[in-house]
Amino acid sequence: MQGIENKKNILDLTPAELESLVTELGEKKFRAKQIFGWLAKGAESFYDMHNVPARLLVSLADAGWHVGLPETMEEQRSKDGTVKCLFRFDDGSEIESVFMKYDYGNSICISSQVGCRMGCSFCASTMDGLARGLTGGEMLAQVLAMRNLTREDIGHVVIMGMGEPFDNYDEVIRFIRLINDRDGYDLGLRNITVSTCGVIPGIKKFAEDVPQVNLAVSLHAPNQQLRERTMPVARKYGYDELMEACREYTETTKRRITFEYALIDGVNDSEECAKELAGRLSGWLTHVNLIPLNEVSGREYRTAQPGNVRRFREVLEKRGVAVTVRRTLGSDIDAACGQLRRNRE
Ligand code: SAH
């Protein structure tokens, strides 16, 4: 766990860890459950926890614990109801989270790292490199802070903001356990989606650890050669090996996998690309989510022409591959996929 010295985030603790802490401080175990419940309700400090004895709260504070919700540095609201927040944690790290409204309910896209070191050439999040991974508690804190701010229920979480979740695997799992806990936020595992750029060991572990959580894989190309052009991670984890790991994932978990495919004008949006992709995917439990590229300032890539997006979709459909085109939310406030970044200009 990270954080600034002597300031420990109580949001990082599982109920079991909180129980040991509370008993070490000479209090009854059930106090842990009370505190955990308050945190899930969005309590901003120990002072909000009315039914917990003041002496316990003082001991916690004396031992260096605090409720590590981030400070909201900036809040932008889009015409479509999307809210993007720039959050700052105690050590000065800044990340972005995005609240979105869908027909099936409200969703939040959270960040898993401060920056990213994966280097995808079309994405803004990687432009300033990686500063550090976020802790599980800091991921939970984004959901709680966003709910406090919007005063809206949030029933779905996607870990598709800044960062590569499987480059911070243990803390992502900690987050999932924390938010899923019945005594806390109690979010169903099926309401959580994690997106990876294709870190194969992560995919394998994920299938074993949390098979009920949805997995999305950023593919963005129909073959190794093209994938390598935009995604450096492809040099470490090759295309065939990745497809093999994904197929294994669907077999072990019996869950469908989503492939994300950002359509970039003249790079990966041709009919040939669509046919090649369909060839690789037909006959297994997948779903392709086409994302017309969101343009990022400072990057030369342009978004695919609407006609090419349509054609790409049709080729996949005709070959029996389930496909949708992602509705772009929040692009007027740079909150769309790939537009989140560490440094504000
Ligand atoms: N690192 C993880 C999760 C973060 S990105 C991953 O790579 O999956 C969330 C999604 O947005 C990924 O599919 C990513 O490739 C995509 N993305 C990145 N930049 C984009 C852009 N400019 N336009 C559209 N999608 C983009």
Side-chain angles (χ1 to χ4, degrees):
M1 273 180 266
Q2 291 132 324
I4 54 172
E5 233 184 347
N6 296 328
K7 248 198 162 185
K8 296 176 284 190
N9 188 356
I10 200 153
L11 287 168
D12 280 323
L13 300 184
T14 62
E17 290 165 343
L18 204 49
E19 255 182 37
S20 349
L21 178 62
V22 164
T23 40
E24 265 167 42
L25 294 172
E27 299 284 341
K28 297 241 165 59
K29 273 209 284 203
F30 79 97
R31 296 295 180 196
K33 213 177 198 177
Q34 286 180 322
I35 296 173
F36 196 71
W38 278 114
L39 294 172
K41 284 197 198 88
E44 293 182 349
S45 81
F46 291 138
Y47 298 111
D48 294 340
M49 304 179 180
H50 308 301
N51 56 356
V52 182
R55 58 165 194 279
L56 170 57
L57 299 174
V58 169
S59 316
L60 284 170
D62 285 348
W65 293 97
H66 79 305
V67 182
L69 290 174
E71 195 182 336
T72 306
M73 305 307 291
E74 231 179 271
E75 175 193 334
Q76 286 172 276
R77 288 179 187 257
S78 158
K79 298 190 285 275
D80 59 30
T82 303
V83 181
K84 178 170 85 162
C85 285
L86 179 76
F87 287 135
R88 178 186 284 173
F89 288 102
D90 291 334
D91 69 343
S93 292
E94 293 186 339
I95 52 101
E96 292 179 315
S97 316
V98 183
F99 168 88
M100 291 160 289
K101 286 182 174 254
Y102 286 101
D103 301 339
Y104 56 76
N106 299 330
S107 174
I108 183 173
C109 174
I110 63 165
S111 296
S112 55
Q113 295 183 309
V114 184
C116 184
R117 58 174 175 168
M118 295 296 130
C120 300
S121 60
F122 44 79
C123 181
S125 297
T126 203
M127 289 169 107
D128 307 301
L130 174 73
R132 68 174 177 90
L134 291 172
T135 66
E138 287 172 326
M139 292 178 225
L140 178 63
Q142 295 171 56
V143 182
L144 301 175
M146 185 65 87
R147 193 184 52 182
N148 284 350
L149 196 111
T150 56
R151 299 183 182 282
E152 301 249 25
D153 285 337
I154 300 176
H156 296 263
V157 173
V158 299
I159 310 186
M160 289 194 191
M162 211 187 282
E164 166 51 42
F166 291 170
D167 190 31
N168 189 19
Y169 187 87
D170 292 345
E171 291 300 323
V172 165
I173 296 293
R174 176 176 284 269
F175 162 72
I176 291 170
R177 304 272 182 234
L178 288 171
I179 198 159
N180 176 238
D181 199 286
R182 204 176 285 182
D183 293 325
Y185 198 99
D186 196 18
L187 182 71
L189 295 176
R190 284 167 196 268
N191 292 4
I192 305 173
T193 301
V194 171
S195 177
T196 176
C197 64
V199 178
I200 292 175
I203 296 174
K204 297 194 167 171
K205 271 198 274 177
F206 206 65
E208 312 226 312
D209 292 342
V210 279
Q212 309 89 327
V213 174
N214 307 299
L215 180 68
V217 173
S218 300
L219 197 56
H220 306 320
N223 59 49
Q224 173 69 13
Q225 196 199 5
L226 201 55
R227 194 161 193 267
E228 258 185 42
R229 253 178 77 185
T230 53
M231 303 182 73
V233 69
R235 279 180 230 131
K236 182 149 185 205
Y237 302 111
Y239 206 91
D240 293 340
E241 206 192 333
L242 175 61
M243 290 318 235
E244 184 54 38
C246 291
R247 193 183 277 270
E248 225 170 77
Y249 174 90
T250 57
E251 279 161 13
T252 329
T253 61
K254 309 276 181 284
R255 311 267 340 260
R256 151 183 110 151
I257 210 163
T258 297
F259 287 113
E260 293 155 283
Y261 194 107
L263 287 163
I264 312 174
D265 186 41
V267 174
N268 64 357
D269 63 342
S270 68
E271 193 167 348
E272 290 67 47
C273 284
K275 285 182 179 159
E276 197 178 349
L277 182 66
R280 307 240 21 173
L281 302 186
S282 70
W284 51 303
L285 207 56
T286 67
H287 173 252
V288 174
N289 200 199
L290 297 174
I291 319 166
L293 184 85
N294 298 305
E295 294 179 6
V296 169
S297 64
R299 297 288 205 209
E300 77 271 31
Y301 296 120
R302 293 290 155 256
T303 191
Q305 309 286 327
N308 291 347
V309 176
R310 207 174 319 122
R311 185 186 57 194
F312 206 97
R313 194 191 67 212
E314 284 166 6
V315 170
L316 292 181
E317 274 171 352
K318 229 183 265 161
R319 285 165 170 72
V321 178
V323 56
T324 46
V325 178
R326 184 178 292 175
R327 197 159 61 99
T328 298
L329 292 175
S331 55
D332 55 333
I333 54 170
D334 272 357
C337 307
Q339 293 184 317
L340 307 183
R341 59 198 306 166
R342 258 176 80 195
N343 290 342
R344 294 162 288 162
E345 261 93 303

